[in-house]
Amino acid sequence: MNTPAIPVFDGHNDTLLRLEMARAAGKPISFMNGDDSLHIDLPKAKQGLLAGGLFAMFVPPKQEPGQTLKFEDMQRPIDQAHALKETLAMVSCAYRLERESEGAVRICRSSSELDMALQDNVVALMLHIEGAEAIDANFDALEVLYAAGLRSIGPVWSRNNIFAHGVPFDFPGSPDQGPGLTDLGREFVRRCNKMHILIDMSHLNEAGFWDIAKLSTDPLVATHSNVHALSPSPRNLTDRQLDAIAESQGVVGLNYAVGFLRDDGQKYETDTPISLMLAHLDHLLTKLGEEGVALGSDFDGATVPAGIGSAAGNPILIQAMLDHGYGEALVKKIAYQNWLSLLKRTGI
Ligand code: ZN
């Protein structure tokens, strides 16, 4: 296989959470040297030409020692103090990574810094929050986290908070469950627009989606969601939602999680063909056009097709897109250019 060397900028991963959870459990794992339990580490990033991505900070509910969390527990609301403390731990984790990498990883705060990181062949890390529980009603934490490099936020994960309502994971299911943004949620959108912070609508319910579509002055974005018509999960986007994203010149990142690719919703079936990823890409391209489709792997947060396996498998997806008939120019757009230009259009 002689795959052209096309870098990948990834719209979503949960690697910081994995690293921080291992550290908190007293069993740290090494991003620099690599670890079998990680989808993304430095050796795999180099092997798979991962140029960087939005690195999510997601906060699971508080856990008593020895307690294992059931999936239902994950959807219980969490309090701000706990969320902020855990988020700061993940911001610190990112800064330690940058320092320990001695130049191989760089935290980027703007699209021009991302361009430079791409040129310099280092892994670009842009900080993202998945579920804004760490942000207080006065938005003080937003200012401080912005100063620390935060440039992208999903107002909700799949649970409710003071800003909005997340979608559950019932399958099959509609994203149209629950009410829209709260008044604070509307203020959240105005602040993010003003501060040039990307608003990520993955995990948001449909009423909240339409509220943001009406209110936000930026292109609409779902960093890691798929096509509801092909996999009827509430986490995926209906054709009407895709049309609205297209109209705003927004972007959707293809989620590699098998549960959001498959038409049966099976979450752990690694024997899921790469052709299914291409089917979602085809549909996204039809609805959003060549500038509207990107990648959002969900690495380190979900089960992905065995054929991809990890970030080291990016070139396999690149080759599959080429074999499927996408020209090299289109593959480059999907792999990294569309994210970079979307971030520019968002003022980042
Ligand atoms: Zn997610």
Side-chain angles (χ1 to χ4, degrees):
M1 188 168 75
N2 213 348
T3 305
I6 297 176
V8 168
F9 188 86
D10 188 0
H12 189 88
N13 71 68
D14 288 299
T15 310
L16 291 176
L17 175 65
R18 293 276 155 236
L19 293 170
E20 183 47 34
M21 276 168 69
R23 194 180 79 102
K27 295 176 189 140
I29 48 182
S30 173
F31 182 85
M32 298 308 151
N33 300 326
D35 190 280
D36 285 347
S37 70
L38 290 172
H39 285 144
I40 299 180
D41 53 33
L42 196 55
K44 293 186 192 97
K46 290 289 157 202
Q47 199 186 332
L49 302 183
L50 182 70
L54 297 174
F55 279 65
M57 299 182 287
F58 165 74
V59 179
K62 222 181 261 172
Q63 215 171 337
E64 303 308 325
Q67 182 200 5
T68 40
L69 287 173
K70 289 202 277 302
F71 199 72
E72 306 86 79
D73 298 332
M74 300 288 287
Q75 291 179 258
R76 280 202 314 260
I78 61 170
D79 69 78
Q80 195 252 333
H82 167 66
L84 183 58
K85 176 171 169 284
E86 297 299 315
T87 300
L88 292 182
M90 285 180 272
V91 174
S92 309
C93 176
Y95 276 89
R96 276 194 305 276
L97 270 191
E98 184 184 45
R99 190 180 316 120
E100 288 164 10
S101 79
E102 296 176 348
V105 175
R106 198 183 289 165
I107 295 174
C108 294
R109 294 164 187 77
S110 65
S111 26
S112 54
E113 288 183 2
L114 289 176
D115 287 340
M116 222 181 300
L118 194 65
Q119 269 175 38
D120 296 346
N121 199 22
V122 302
V123 177
L125 188 161
M126 188 163 267
L127 288 173
H128 166 83
I129 279 183
E130 183 171 33
E133 282 85 357
I135 311 297
D136 53 278
N138 292 321
F139 298 96
D140 294 333
L142 184 65
E143 294 287 351
V144 176
L145 288 166
Y146 180 87
L150 179 72
R151 290 296 179 273
S152 170
I153 311 185
V156 280
W157 185 69
S158 289
R159 63 190 170 208
N160 301 334
N161 63 27
I162 59 172
F163 304 113
H165 304 266
V167 281
F169 296 98
D170 53 320
F171 192 97
S174 159
D176 191 11
Q177 307 188 42
L181 297 185
T182 64
D183 288 344
L184 268 177
R186 290 175 214 283
E187 182 59 19
F188 171 92
V189 173
R190 285 188 282 267
R191 299 238 179 184
C192 287
N193 281 168
K194 201 186 266 176
M195 294 170 77
H196 302 298
I197 296 174
L198 183 154
I199 302 168
D200 176 17
M201 306 215 279
S202 288
H203 290 279
L204 186 61
N205 68 351
E206 196 171 341
F209 177 98
W210 294 117
D211 284 345
I212 292 183
K214 235 180 288 164
L215 186 61
S216 177
T217 53
D218 284 330
L220 303 177
V221 176
T223 60
H224 60 305
S225 291
N226 291 336
V227 175
H228 194 271
L230 298 177
S231 171
S233 163
R235 273 282 285 104
N236 288 338
L237 298 157
T238 65
D239 282 350
R240 266 190 75 214
Q241 289 178 300
L242 291 172
D243 289 339
I245 293 171
E247 203 178 311
S248 76
Q249 296 183 296
V251 165
V252 174
L254 176 79
N255 193 324
Y256 305 180
V258 298
F260 306 138
L261 288 168
R262 299 174 62 90
D263 65 359
D264 61 6
Q266 290 294 319
K267 286 195 194 74
Y268 305 109
E269 185 50 79
T270 54
D271 191 13
T272 295
I274 294 173
S275 58
L276 207 46
M277 301 171 83
L278 297 169
H280 281 265
L281 285 173
D282 282 344
H283 192 104
L284 291 173
L285 284 166
T286 306
K287 296 307 258 181
L288 302 170
E290 294 199 356
E291 273 72 42
V293 184
L295 303 175
S297 68
D298 222 343
F299 278 145
D300 291 315
T303 300
V304 303
I308 302 290
S310 73
N314 282 334
I316 296 168
L317 180 59
I318 299 289
Q319 186 63 49
M321 287 194 267
L322 292 165
D323 293 343
H324 190 54
Y326 297 174
E328 207 170 309
L330 173 58
V331 173
K332 282 182 180 165
K333 286 182 191 178
I334 295 172
Y336 69 100
Q337 290 171 346
N338 285 344
W339 274 134
L340 295 185
S341 100
L342 180 279
L343 290 163
K344 279 192 191 100
R345 294 204 295 286
T346 308
I348 293 170

